[in-house]
Amino acid sequence: MDYLHIVGGHKLEGKVTISGAKNAALPLIAATIIAKNSVQISNLPNVQDIKTLLKLLYNLGATYTYNQNSSVQIDTTPISSTKATYDIVRTMRASILVLGPLLARFGQCEVSLPGGCAIGQRPIDLHLKALKQMGANISIKSGYVYAEAKKGLQGATIVFDKITVTGTENIIMAAALAKGKTTIINAAKEPEVVQLCEILHQSGVEISGIGGDEIVIHGTAGELLEIKPFSVIPDRIEAGTYLCAGAITQSTITLEKVIPAHLESILIKLQQMGFGILVKNSTITIKPARNIQPIEIITSEYPGFPTDMQAQFMALALLAEGTSIIEERLFENRFMHVAELRRFGANIQLKGNIATIIGPTQLYGADVMATDLRASSALVLAALAAQGASNIHRIYHLDRGYENLENKLNALGAKVTRLQEH
Ligand code: UD1
């Protein structure tokens, strides 16, 4: 197993190119299941979660080849199995994204139930309820979701009781091939959902309300789509993490290949903390703060402050001159990084879903353990700012979602080495 050895206290400088968005690429790869052609996807991030989903499709019978420039060609026409097995789904919850498209194309499928994970229970009841409304028979047996719609899915009006990103995406893909009109009320508005809608729209599916909380989809009644080559949008969470790396080391760095509009809530919080932000076309430059101000954050759905940036901002708040408050509203157990941040010297009080961070803190290098993807990046950030050396263990969590992390950080002047546990 790999770990990262980080010698902290070094300023960063220069430019970093942001990769394609993992969370946009995952539903788009799943959408190739409803294509009649071989689909070319570029700007694909080279991260473990993407490899996992491609492996899942391969196990179903699809083929894929990597080309140059982070692009992949996926052919799902040879799919012969409709069973997404436990061994893959347990390593990545987002595997549930194949449920909608498999059911829509084949009229039946079996997908292993994703279990709970480090950040909470994360049920899929809303996905299943919506598919039932579209005419699917759903049962759960031996840890698998059995879904059947022999005569095809039927358009319906779906009201999501809670905003769900992958739930919305699953239903959008199912609705694209259903008979008639599907209206999704209280849909997720994340840029990754928007890109999925846009690609399906370009592939001939009639979709309106894209980017809003009510999406209307007219399905093709089973006809597969012709999906043209496209490029995945930049990863706003990777971008936000690098902005925090610049901030926590009080450095000036520039991010390239980003869509600044996707990062609005993050940029506003950084400005409120005193950091300079310069946006120019597809670049963002962050500059040091004179004094780092404490912050109040409540996580919410897009366009609110993303839960996927909560841990990184907690690391940053450790250096703020005063008390910051972070409230986690989306996941019930997303404070696993708190205990690890305390190992660097952090003074954080936890009460339910509210963390109070008392700064400023002098951080000292420590041995810490990553618990989930975004929590791990908070530990890397704290290590960059800490005096002395740190070791971040269990970095397979980081490898799920950050392309080339140590090389990108080292190119900016950080001192990060990937080593192997004995
Ligand atoms: C997606 C993102 C993840 C991000 C999260 C919230 C992907 C691959 N992952 O996860 O990085 O942290 O959005 O922005 O895009 N819920 C239910 N029942 C359901 C579905 C969800 O109760 O059927 C609850 C969840 O437990 C959670 C909330 O709804 O409390 C939001 O979850 P959801 O938006 O579904 O998260 P994911 O799509 O799994």
Side-chain angles (χ1 to χ4, degrees):
M1 214 188 290
D2 292 352
Y3 69 98
L4 290 183
H5 179 74
I6 300 180
V7 180
H10 294 277
K11 288 252 181 216
L12 307 182
E13 65 169 331
K15 296 174 177 172
V16 57
T17 301
I18 298 307
S19 302
K22 164 182 93 68
N23 285 357
L26 291 170
L28 290 164
I29 291 172
T32 65
I33 293 173
I34 52 171
K36 61 179 162 205
N37 60 315
S38 154
V39 182
Q40 190 191 319
I41 306 180
S42 54
N43 201 32
L44 200 68
N46 185 14
V47 297
Q48 191 54 45
D49 274 9
I50 299 298
K51 293 178 194 156
T52 302
L53 187 57
L54 288 171
K55 184 166 174 225
L56 192 165
L57 291 191
Y58 178 81
N59 288 351
L60 300 179
T63 59
Y64 64 90
T65 43
Y66 278 106
N67 307 319
Q68 280 173 336
N69 300 332
S70 315
S71 112
V72 73
Q73 189 84 30
I74 307 172
D75 186 359
T76 62
T77 51
I79 286 185
S80 53
S81 158
T82 53
K83 182 170 180 174
T85 52
Y86 175 70
D87 54 329
I88 295 230
V89 179
R90 78 189 172 97
T91 65
M92 185 182 67
R93 296 183 44 85
S95 308
I96 196 66
L97 283 165
V98 301
L99 176 64
L102 278 178
L103 179 62
R105 173 167 157 197
F106 296 100
Q108 56 98 39
C109 65
E110 287 164 59
V111 178
S112 172
L113 260 183
C117 71
I119 64 172
Q121 293 185 38
R122 303 185 76 175
I124 54 158
D125 55 316
L126 301 174
H127 304 229
L128 302 184
K129 193 173 152 199
L131 289 172
K132 276 185 199 163
Q133 276 184 267
M134 296 177 76
N137 280 319
I138 304 230
S139 56
I140 293 174
K141 239 188 307 176
S142 309
Y144 278 80
V145 176
Y146 289 79
E148 205 180 73
K150 284 283 182 234
K151 291 186 191 139
L153 292 167
Q154 189 71 46
T157 298
I158 312 291
V159 183
F160 278 121
D161 295 333
K162 229 179 184 182
I163 298 178
T164 159
V165 175
T166 48
T168 302
E169 292 164 346
N170 240 333
I171 300 313
I172 289 168
M173 291 185 278
L177 244 59
K179 287 190 206 95
K181 174 175 138 185
T182 298
T183 304
I184 304 176
I185 295 170
N186 205 22
K189 298 193 283 272
E190 271 67 5
E192 295 77 22
V193 177
V194 171
Q195 187 175 30
L196 175 68
C197 288
E198 282 169 350
I199 297 304
L200 295 181
H201 185 59
Q202 285 159 25
S203 309
V205 181
E206 211 183 298
I207 305 186
S208 59
I210 296 176
D213 48 21
E214 187 168 323
I215 303 175
V216 180
I217 303 155
H218 292 268
T220 63
E223 195 184 328
L224 296 176
L225 314 178
E226 170 92 31
I227 302 182
K228 300 200 178 68
F230 64 86
S231 175
V232 176
I233 57 170
D235 195 316
R236 63 196 167 97
I237 305 300
E238 189 199 20
T241 304
Y242 280 99
L243 287 172
C244 287
I248 207 164
T249 55
Q250 285 281 31
S251 307
T252 298
I253 61 166
T254 297
L255 275 50
E256 297 192 312
K257 278 181 76 175
V258 290
I259 300 179
H262 292 172
L263 283 131
E264 214 157 297
S265 61
I266 295 167
L267 297 180
I268 288 170
K269 291 294 176 193
L270 287 169
Q271 280 169 329
Q272 287 173 357
M273 293 183 90
F275 297 100
I277 297 288
L278 196 74
V279 173
K280 210 172 156 195
N281 306 323
S282 60
T283 70
I284 303 175
T285 300
I286 182 158
K287 296 186 170 173
R290 198 163 298 145
N291 301 300
I292 305 180
Q293 299 300 314
I295 193 80
E296 287 187 16
I297 289 175
I298 299 177
T299 63
S300 81
E301 296 85 4
Y302 189 86
F305 187 88
T307 172
D308 286 352
M309 284 302 302
Q310 180 256 103
Q312 298 90 315
F313 268 73
M314 192 178 296
L316 189 50
L318 298 174
L319 302 195
E321 294 178 16
T323 300
S324 298
I325 296 180
I326 298 183
E327 184 173 342
E328 172 57 53
R329 288 251 179 108
L330 266 75
F331 294 110
E332 67 273 19
N333 192 24
R334 207 170 196 181
F335 281 144
M336 302 277 282
H337 43 284
V338 169
E340 299 303 304
L341 287 175
R342 286 186 183 132
R343 297 177 61 84
F344 292 101
N347 184 357
I348 305 173
Q349 290 163 9
L350 263 189
K351 208 168 180 195
N353 63 337
I354 298 177
T356 306
I357 303 108
I358 298 139
T361 316
Q362 171 61 56
L363 304 175
Y364 294 99
D367 273 75
V368 290
M369 196 116 81
T371 49
D372 73 67
L373 172 54
R374 304 307 170 184
S376 335
S377 61
L379 304 182
V380 171
L381 293 173
L384 291 176
Q387 191 179 314
S390 300
N391 296 309
I392 320 278
H393 301 277
R394 298 205 182 161
I395 54 158
Y396 54 85
H397 290 292
L398 276 174
D399 294 334
R400 286 187 40 214
Y402 288 93
E403 179 171 54
N404 233 343
L405 180 78
E406 65 268 27
N407 292 341
K408 286 190 182 185
L409 283 173
N410 287 338
L412 290 168
K415 302 281 175 265
V416 185
T417 321
R418 181 179 286 257
L419 297 167
Q420 288 218 316
E421 312 267 8
H422 295 297

